[in-house]
Amino acid sequence: MGNQLQERVLCAVANAVVITDSTGTILWVNPAFTLLTGYSREEVVGQNPRLLKSGKQGAEIYRDLWGTVKSGRVWRGEVINRRKDGSEYTEELTITPLKDEAGKVDFFIAIKQDVTERKVLERQVAFAQRLDAIGRLTGGVAHDFNNMLGIILGYADLLRSSLPEESRAAEQVTQIRKAAERSANLTRQLLTFSRRQVVQWRVLNLNDTISDLFKMLRRLIGADVKMEFRPGADLGMVRADAGQIEQVLMNLAVNARDAMPRGGHLLLSTANAQLDEAYTRQHPPATAGDYVMIEVTDTGTGMTEQTRAHIFEPFFTTKEAGKGTGLGLPIVYGIVKQTGGFVWVYSEEGQGSTFKIYLPRVAAVDGSTEAQTPANIAYTGSETVLVVEDETALCEMVVSVLEVAGYTVLEARNGHEALDAASKHTGPIHLLVTDVILRGGMNGPAVAAAICPLRPDLKVLYTSGYNEEVLSWNKLAHPGANLLQKPFDTVQLRRRVREALDR
């Protein structure tokens, strides 16, 4: 094959090709090299390949590279290089030594392939796998923990109602209840992180949501930090869970406070935003469209580029042991992504940080806010309720609460006991209250599917502290079903039972 044909072949190769002499001086490059690096052949011939170095590689990798090829062996590896325009890329590199007739290395041929997109995809897949594994673990822990918290909350309410209003014992029970509520908030965070929390979607004005939260944030952040809220004019509406949005803001505010140990300024603001294709190309995974933006800016210590690259990874934290779980920002990321939005972070070391949260804008819907229920409603009844719960103490608590509220209660510890109770009871059964997940071979939806054909007027209320099934809500067996998330207190239980019966 002649030299002309050889050059035509090398020029047609899709991968970048570089030929150097034994000292590393570039003798020839193909057009694919220019496409990859931005340098023309004229700009690099006579130069050393080190002009591509990004500084992201340790010296040891180059010692290994040169030691290998100078000994006449092929070297393969990955390096991060820098293009002419300053942008970085990851390349898969193979360097083959060429020897003369005497066996001396006199040329090197380097084949380069851009694998930047593949590396990004690999990181995303690995992150998703870690998130899923940790999510399964935390979701399972939260399920069991919520059962225990439900028992504590329920019996605390029952005990509190039997004590004199101003007694010391009543105050002690109140403190027990508050501790259980704080623990329930922790399990909600775990469920949010694992995406197994029941989401109560509503159309919200974020100015109202943030205004309602602002006073509590002030108390949380402390006097050393000046807080300011600048609501955007004519702000659009978003479809989100108000509690989750509050959780996002609280996590960001706490992080900002920790980044300002000597005080500083924390600014929350909102605005409408319209993102075009040019913006989204520079800010993946954003998509073009109309958004509402929440901006949280602090004057704290800021972050290095390396830290910023890991902040949404589970359990990554720069705080001292015992002062941070590494769950705050992953929870923010999970909530925003679940809501259909994205987060963009701007930060430099010593210059503070800005988190911009973009949530899709939606049309306003009348009646999007929930009516407040008067606190003095008793939520009583006289109907018959079948309770199916495999946690004995929780089952006994639910039965006690409903009996005090006036209901006739049948109880079962698993699906087979529930079917037996339903078949033996001669009177009507108005409501089935069952955990979604039950031990003994039948889950809650299966129990409902078995009983409902025999009692077509039966209403169903599911309970769950681990809501993987709820993610595919439309697959629950009974079309009239609704769900009460654990842990619940006595008021929530009575209210949801009454609502289910009245539907």
Side-chain angles (χ1 to χ4, degrees):
M1 186 168 63
N3 290 337
Q4 216 172 21
L5 180 57
Q6 289 175 356
E7 179 156 354
R8 281 180 58 196
V9 170
L10 290 174
C11 286
V13 171
N15 292 339
V17 179
V18 181
I19 300 176
T20 74
D21 65 16
S22 60
T23 67
T25 301
I26 297 174
L27 304 176
W28 185 89
V29 297
N30 70 345
F33 174 90
T34 297
L35 192 64
L36 173 62
T37 67
Y39 289 102
S40 67
R41 182 182 299 184
E42 292 73 23
E43 288 175 307
V44 297
V45 169
Q47 301 289 329
N48 190 285
R50 70 172 63 95
L51 90 162
L52 299 174
K53 286 177 67 173
S54 65
K56 295 296 180 67
Q57 234 68 65
E60 64 278 0
I61 193 171
Y62 296 106
R63 284 196 296 268
D64 176 63
L65 185 158
W66 281 108
T68 300
V69 297
K70 283 184 176 181
S71 68
R73 292 176 289 125
V74 176
W75 186 89
R76 296 181 178 86
E78 289 182 359
V79 293
I80 301 173
N81 278 339
R82 195 185 304 275
R83 297 183 178 90
K84 182 179 179 180
D85 63 7
S87 62
E88 294 175 355
Y89 66 97
T90 302
E91 68 178 24
E92 200 170 66
L93 177 61
T94 301
I95 302 178
T96 304
L98 289 181
K99 300 177 183 179
D100 61 17
E101 293 178 355
K104 180 183 177 183
V105 175
D106 54 358
F107 296 103
F108 298 111
I109 300 178
I111 310 294
K112 300 167 172 280
Q113 181 178 2
D114 186 357
V115 294
T116 308
E117 289 186 8
R118 190 186 77 192
K119 300 300 289 184
V120 170
L121 182 60
E122 287 174 353
R123 286 195 295 270
Q124 289 175 340
V125 170
F127 176 79
Q129 289 173 338
R130 289 199 304 273
L131 192 69
D132 182 65
I134 297 168
R136 290 176 184 275
L137 172 64
T138 55
V141 170
H143 168 246
D144 293 336
F145 198 36
N146 275 335
N147 276 339
M148 292 183 282
L149 288 174
I151 296 166
I152 295 170
L153 285 168
Y155 279 115
D157 285 345
L158 289 173
L159 182 57
R160 180 68 179 80
S161 65
S162 67
L163 295 170
E165 188 65 32
E166 302 299 328
S167 67
R168 183 181 178 188
E171 174 57 27
Q172 291 171 338
V173 173
T174 299
Q175 293 304 318
I176 292 172
R177 196 184 194 289
K178 287 181 178 178
E181 287 174 345
R182 287 194 295 271
S183 299
N185 183 59
L186 174 60
T187 63
R188 278 193 292 272
Q189 291 188 47
L190 292 172
L191 288 168
T192 299
F193 171 64
S194 62
R195 298 192 201 177
R196 286 168 169 82
Q197 184 182 27
V198 175
V199 179
Q200 298 177 348
W201 297 107
R202 293 167 54 199
V203 176
L204 305 174
N205 183 310
L206 292 177
N207 284 345
D208 297 337
T209 304
I210 298 174
S211 295
D212 293 342
L213 182 66
F214 199 68
K215 288 183 180 179
M216 186 174 71
L217 286 178
R218 280 188 184 279
R219 292 194 297 270
L220 181 69
I221 298 308
D224 291 341
V225 176
K226 178 185 176 183
M227 283 190 63
E228 184 181 356
F229 173 43
R230 296 178 187 169
D234 300 319
L235 195 68
M237 308 293 279
V238 300
R239 186 172 179 268
D241 182 302
Q244 287 192 340
I245 297 300
E246 291 175 355
Q247 192 172 356
V248 165
L249 295 172
M250 288 180 66
N251 286 350
L252 291 178
V254 168
N255 272 9
R257 178 200 64 192
D258 293 345
M260 298 183 286
R262 299 180 182 176
H265 188 190
L266 177 61
L267 171 64
L268 279 70
S269 62
T270 57
N272 294 321
Q274 188 174 42
L275 306 183
D276 57 19
E277 296 290 347
Y279 178 90
T280 57
R281 281 195 297 270
Q282 298 297 320
H283 299 80
T287 56
D290 294 327
Y291 292 84
V292 176
M293 180 191 71
I294 309 172
E295 185 174 317
V296 181
T297 299
D298 66 64
T299 57
T301 54
M303 293 176 278
T304 64
E305 183 178 347
Q306 183 179 7
T307 298
R308 199 166 64 247
H310 295 284
I311 57 174
F312 295 123
E313 293 181 6
F315 305 116
F316 174 82
T317 180
T318 58
K319 298 176 184 177
E320 298 175 25
K323 294 190 176 181
T325 63
L327 279 176
L329 289 178
I331 286 171
V332 168
Y333 177 87
I335 289 173
V336 173
K337 187 173 181 180
Q338 189 176 22
T339 311
F342 68 96
V343 188
W344 198 256
V345 185
Y346 302 82
S347 185
E348 293 182 21
E349 196 169 13
Q351 302 298 316
S353 301
T354 294
F355 286 77
K356 291 187 175 182
I357 296 168
Y358 294 87
L359 301 178
R361 206 183 316 172
V362 300
V365 177
D366 292 336
S368 60
T369 57
E370 295 178 352
Q372 296 298 312
T373 305
N376 59 353
I377 293 181
Y379 301 116
T380 59
S382 58
E383 292 93 340
T384 298
V385 180
L386 172 57
V387 174
V388 190
E389 170 61 58
D390 55 16
E391 184 68 46
T392 300
L394 182 59
C395 184
E396 291 173 352
M397 185 276 290
V398 171
V399 170
S400 296
V401 171
L402 295 181
E403 286 179 341
V404 169
Y407 297 100
T408 298
V409 184
L410 309 174
E411 59 181 289
R413 298 293 189 272
N414 55 53
H416 299 293
E417 288 187 14
L419 295 180
D420 188 53
S423 64
K424 289 180 179 179
H425 185 71
T426 56
I429 300 177
H430 302 90
L431 177 66
L432 169 66
V433 179
T434 178
D435 196 355
V436 173
I437 298 176
L438 294 166
R439 290 185 287 268
M442 293 182 69
N443 62 19
V447 173
I451 297 178
C452 286
L454 306 176
R455 296 178 179 268
D457 295 330
L458 183 71
K459 308 289 180 61
V460 179
L461 173 62
Y462 289 115
T463 65
S464 184
Y466 176 57
N467 300 296
E468 189 169 4
E469 286 77 10
V470 179
L471 297 180
S472 55
W473 179 256
N474 60 342
K475 294 182 181 178
L476 290 178
H478 190 67
N482 55 90
L483 185 135
L484 171 60
Q485 188 180 5
K486 297 176 180 178
F488 45 79
D489 59 25
T490 58
V491 174
Q492 290 169 327
L493 173 61
R494 293 197 305 265
R495 175 170 63 85
R496 294 299 298 277
V497 165
R498 188 66 262 163
E499 288 174 350
L501 287 165
D502 292 342
R503 286 182 68 181

